[in-house]
Amino acid sequence: MSAPVIQTPKDPVTREQAITDIIESIALEETGLAHIINAEGEKIQKGKELACDISELVALNASVKDTLVNIIKIQMLLQFKLEEIAKFIPKKEHECEY
């Protein structure tokens, strides 16, 4: 397998466009995580219907918990990314910092 080739754009990317692209990538990742969370909810609903005994429900719960823990870790990383990129967004003169 060959290595990926990154094309150099004809026009250089502006700082504003780079910031926008990073924020958009964070939003897209959050959307993907929302889909996974929804799928986990559907898995619980189906598991409730199909479970034969409590041990199956406990295993289902453990599986969903593991997935949600990993989603939380990813969301923490996305929060860190957003905080870092926010440092590069120029503040308007009349904006207050909270």
Side-chain angles (χ1 to χ4, degrees):
M1 179 159 50
S2 62
V5 177
I6 299 174
Q7 300 288 332
T8 304
K10 289 190 286 185
D11 298 323
V13 176
T14 64
R15 177 187 176 107
E16 291 78 16
Q17 185 60 50
I19 291 170
T20 300
D21 290 347
I22 293 169
I23 293 171
E24 184 178 4
S25 75
I26 292 169
L28 290 170
E29 287 187 63
E30 286 288 351
T31 300
L33 293 174
H35 287 289
I36 294 170
I37 292 169
N38 185 57
E40 291 299 297
E42 291 177 10
K43 180 168 44 171
I44 291 170
Q45 293 297 328
K46 196 63 160 176
K48 283 178 20 182
E49 294 172 15
L50 300 176
C52 295
D53 58 29
I54 192 73
S55 65
E56 290 180 356
L57 290 174
V58 170
L60 173 65
N61 185 63
S63 170
V64 171
K65 178 192 144 291
D66 290 344
T67 300
L68 292 178
V69 165
N70 286 319
I71 288 172
I72 290 167
K73 291 175 184 177
I74 293 168
Q75 286 183 318
M76 289 171 64
L77 292 172
L78 293 175
Q79 178 67 31
F80 292 147
K81 271 187 190 180
L82 193 57
E83 289 170 1
E84 288 301 312
I85 198 64
K87 295 175 184 176
F88 295 98
I89 299 173
K91 300 269 190 266
K92 295 180 181 172
E93 288 184 32
H94 64 280
E95 281 188 35
C96 297
E97 290 189 35
Y98 297 99

